[in-house]
Amino acid sequence: SVPAETDTALFAYLVTVPGVFSINECYFNTELHSELWTIDQGLAGDSVYGYDIWGDSIAFPLLSRLMNNYDSFGNMNPSASLGFATPDKLPEVMAIFGLPGVREVLPRDVRIIPGKVEEIGNNMMVHQIYAIKTSPPARAITGDMVSECEADMDGRGFQSVSIELGLQYHTLWESMTRDNIGRNLAMVLDDSVYSAPRVNSEIPGGRSMVTGLGSKRDAEFFAAIVKCGTLPVKPRVISAEVVGPAGKKTTRADGKP
């Protein structure tokens, strides 16, 4: 069952979709700065990405699409994201990172993942772009390690999701947070980074929290997808129904939106 105010048809659909959740270590933009410049040099004159719509060459094919924050001396400000792209530029940025020649420049353990769309001021909507680490010695918390996952509120009163790991994974989480003090860990669900909080100290007890969820409904769906992803057998939706105050209900047999 789900709260009455949620869309049960959409919920039923999402339950049937494999929810892949993980908490990953990630690179800082400054750690891949030289690689980003090398990519731009290699793309200069590229027939697809090296020219604008007027046919003029683009000096920085990647970094003109992947915006970043620089200080007054032109140095890149350290960040857990490689930069940010507007929604209209996101497909081009992700396509560039997927090019074989570009993959060869980046470290072999890198996986490029966009964040959820967010507002960064003046009504400007963007996607942060993250470079997460995918292979040893990098570690990751995965959905099958989660024992509890519930919609919650953070200390500032914003919607969030609290996550608790199984007892056997507490030591992994403690060491992972201890070794990443001063760095960020990316909270990933279905190829999208929901948040990348900075680790200020070792976190005992196998507990974590995902923030950056816009509404109670978003938090409930996030928690539901993570929980379904931890089940040994995927559920199959038989029916979805809405029960009103008078006991009236509407049923969809297939559970599709």
Side-chain angles (χ1 to χ4, degrees), residues 33 37 68-77:
H33 189 218
W37 280 102
N68 229 302
N69 293 316
Y70 294 88
D71 62 22
S72 57
F73 299 99
N75 299 313
M76 186 179 287
N77 290 317

Side-chain angles (χ1 to χ4, degrees), residues 192-215:
S192 184
V193 175
Y194 275 69
S195 64
R198 182 183 178 91
V199 179
N200 295 317
S201 62
E202 177 183 326
I203 303 175
R207 294 178 178 272
S208 62
M209 179 171 286
V210 180
T211 57
L213 300 165
S215 67

Side-chain angles (χ1 to χ4, degrees), residues 26-33 36 76-82 131 133 182-185 198:
C26 53
Y27 284 95
F28 269 34
N29 55 353
T30 50
E31 294 173 315
L32 297 179
H33 189 218
L36 295 178
M76 186 179 287
N77 290 317
S79 171
S81 76
L82 298 182
K133 301 177 181 180
R183 299 182 65 88
N184 300 68
L185 295 176
R198 182 183 178 91

Side-chain angles (χ1 to χ4, degrees), residues 118-212:
E118 60 182 281
E119 183 179 347
I120 62 171
N122 298 322
N123 296 318
M124 184 177 185
M125 308 303 291
V126 301
H127 295 268
Q128 302 285 349
I129 307 297
Y130 296 89
I132 68 170
K133 301 177 181 180
T134 61
S135 58
R139 292 150 295 182
I141 298 296
T142 54
D144 59 334
M145 301 178 186
V146 176
S147 62
E148 296 290 339
C149 184
E150 301 292 341
D152 203 349
M153 303 284 284
D154 65 17
R156 299 175 298 167
F158 294 112
Q159 292 294 332
S160 63
V161 170
S162 61
I163 294 173
E164 184 168 348
L165 305 179
L167 182 61
Q168 64 270 41
Y169 303 113
H170 287 193
T171 300
L172 170 61
W173 180 236
E174 290 166 4
S175 66
M176 190 172 170
T177 53
R178 181 176 61 248
D179 295 343
N180 281 279
I181 292 174
R183 299 182 65 88
N184 300 68
L185 295 176
M187 307 285 184
V188 183
L189 179 65
D190 289 340
D191 295 325
S192 184
V193 175
Y194 275 69
S195 64
R198 182 183 178 91
V199 179
N200 295 317
S201 62
E202 177 183 326
I203 303 175
R207 294 178 178 272
S208 62
M209 179 171 286
V210 180
T211 57

